[in-house]
Amino acid sequence: MILDAPELNLDLTLDCGQVFHWRRDGAGWCGLIGDDPVRLEWKGGRLHFQGSDAKTIAHYLALDHPLDEIYATFPREPAMDAALEFCRGLRIVRQPAWECLATFITSAMKQVAHIRQMSELLRQRYGGRVTLGRREFFTYPTAAVVAALDENALRECKLGFRAKNLLAAARSVTAGEVSLEKFAALPDDDARAELMRLRGVGEKVANCVLLFACGRLAAVPIDVWIARVLREVYFPRKRKVTLRQLRDFSAAHFGEYGGYAQQYLFHHARTTWKKGRATK
DNA sequence: CTCCAGGTTCCGG
DNA sequence: CCGGAACATGGA
């Protein structure tokens, strides 16, 4: 099956730190969209796929996001231009809300490789097994499944102190104390506040969910990397810049597609910085 | 062996 | 509101 997708860089989209379970498969990628096992490969402006259906895939990969319009809102500055040149075609996907929320709860103070590992362990032990041809996949365990576990089971998935947070969040969601479905009607600030009622969910994780699952493209998650970039680029040789200042600056400076700008800066910085260290 | 990672929470100024 | 400290674990 084939889908037109001229402005898509699949490698960047699936391997830029917004989602953690996709793995390379020859010239393409294998993973799940929700419970659907999928294989994707991009060739000559078209997306070849197996598993699931065109509509689901186009929605997940956000092929409807108007990249040209988004890029036009990026501030014209060397750092932003470099990030855009590096990340052109990277799309902010629409992940299932719970899966996104849970993986980012486990992401606190962990490297991307570790986040992958925890996600994979949770899937293999508590998710559902599905297949595509001879390939095997495991869906992400639902909130109800996680809620029924105990803290020790989660610690055995290498979650460490995050186990308590994931468990509490799963139980709150399962009990209906926080609803991940009713966000559609809420403004960003209200949806964020709702998410932050969950144990282990602060401003950063809440913004990740708003951006990577809910399509709130103005949400700007500020982590150690983006904080580093913002401080170096926009507040050079300034002694103390608080998180609050960075947040207020981002909202004012990047505007309605701030989440896209942030992700491009994030991936560019993280990738080039690592390279710089490796060759040093 | 040391350092640090897509943070959050709790506590004292 | 702000700065510090505690919190687990593994890869570099």
Side-chain angles (χ1 to χ4, degrees):
Chain A
M1 305 284 277
I2 296 179
L3 195 56
D4 271 328
E7 292 182 294
L8 168 68
N9 186 314
L10 196 58
D11 291 350
L12 290 169
T13 299
L14 299 181
D15 194 25
C16 69
Q18 63 173 326
V19 59
F20 301 94
H21 74 281
W22 291 89
R23 54 179 189 256
R24 289 183 189 276
D25 182 84
W29 292 86
C30 272
L32 295 108
I33 296 179
D35 294 341
D36 293 347
V38 174
R39 184 179 187 283
L40 303 173
E41 183 170 338
W42 190 89
K43 265 191 299 200
R46 307 174 111 203
L47 187 64
H48 300 245
F49 66 93
Q50 305 163 44
S52 197
D53 56 88
K55 191 177 163 194
T56 301
I57 291 167
H59 182 260
Y60 181 85
L61 293 175
L63 297 184
D64 56 305
H65 283 170
L67 291 190
D68 289 338
E69 179 187 324
I70 291 168
Y71 296 161
T73 69
F74 286 1
R76 293 266 76 82
E77 308 156 339
M80 195 66 243
D81 287 341
L84 171 55
E85 213 44 49
F86 191 78
C87 296
R88 193 176 288 275
L90 187 167
R91 287 176 182 272
I92 302 292
V93 302
R94 294 190 181 94
Q95 297 177 50
W98 163 251
E99 180 180 318
C100 181
L101 169 63
T103 52
F104 277 101
I105 285 175
T106 67
S107 77
M109 286 193 61
K110 274 293 182 190
Q111 295 180 345
V112 170
H114 298 151
I115 302 169
R116 282 202 150 82
Q117 184 181 41
M118 292 182 286
S119 160
E120 199 53 34
L121 280 168
L122 285 167
R123 286 173 180 276
Q124 286 178 9
R125 295 191 185 181
Y126 304 109
R129 180 179 173 277
V130 291
T131 58
L132 179 66
R134 274 159 210 82
R135 296 182 180 84
E136 182 180 65
F137 302 82
F138 293 91
T139 62
Y140 201 91
T142 63
V145 166
V146 174
L149 299 172
D150 59 27
E151 190 180 321
N152 227 7
L154 293 177
R155 281 182 181 266
E156 283 170 9
C157 294
K158 313 295 184 187
L159 267 65
F161 66 83
R162 303 156 196 80
K164 193 187 312 167
N165 295 339
L166 181 61
L167 186 58
R171 290 182 173 166
S172 297
V173 169
T174 303
E177 294 162 21
V178 171
S179 165
L180 300 179
E181 279 76 41
K182 71 176 183 190
F183 284 2
L186 299 179
D188 287 2
D189 287 343
D190 294 343
R192 185 182 300 109
E194 185 73 4
L195 281 166
M196 288 175 65
R197 293 173 51 216
L198 293 166
R199 174 92 190 175
V201 179
E203 192 167 294
K204 191 271 176 181
V205 170
N207 278 324
C208 285
V209 176
L210 291 182
L211 180 60
F212 301 135
C214 305
R216 304 301 181 102
L217 303 183
V220 177
I222 297 179
D223 69 315
V224 289
W225 285 96
I226 219 61
R228 186 177 299 151
V229 171
L230 294 178
R231 288 192 172 107
E232 284 180 9
V233 174
Y234 301 104
F235 301 89
R237 65 183 112 277
K238 210 169 174 225
R239 185 41 73 135
K240 301 268 181 185
V241 186
T242 65
L243 267 178
R244 178 156 304 280
Q245 287 175 279
L246 293 179
R247 184 242 276 163
D248 293 344
F249 171 80
S250 309
H253 191 66
F254 294 114
E256 66 174 320
Y257 295 118
Y260 257 93
Q262 169 277 151
Q263 190 61 16
Y264 280 39
L265 289 170
F266 169 84
H267 185 62
H268 178 59
R270 206 171 76 85
T271 307
T272 56
W273 210 74
K274 264 198 302 196
K275 213 184 303 174
R277 278 219 321 193
T279 56
K280 188 170 65 174

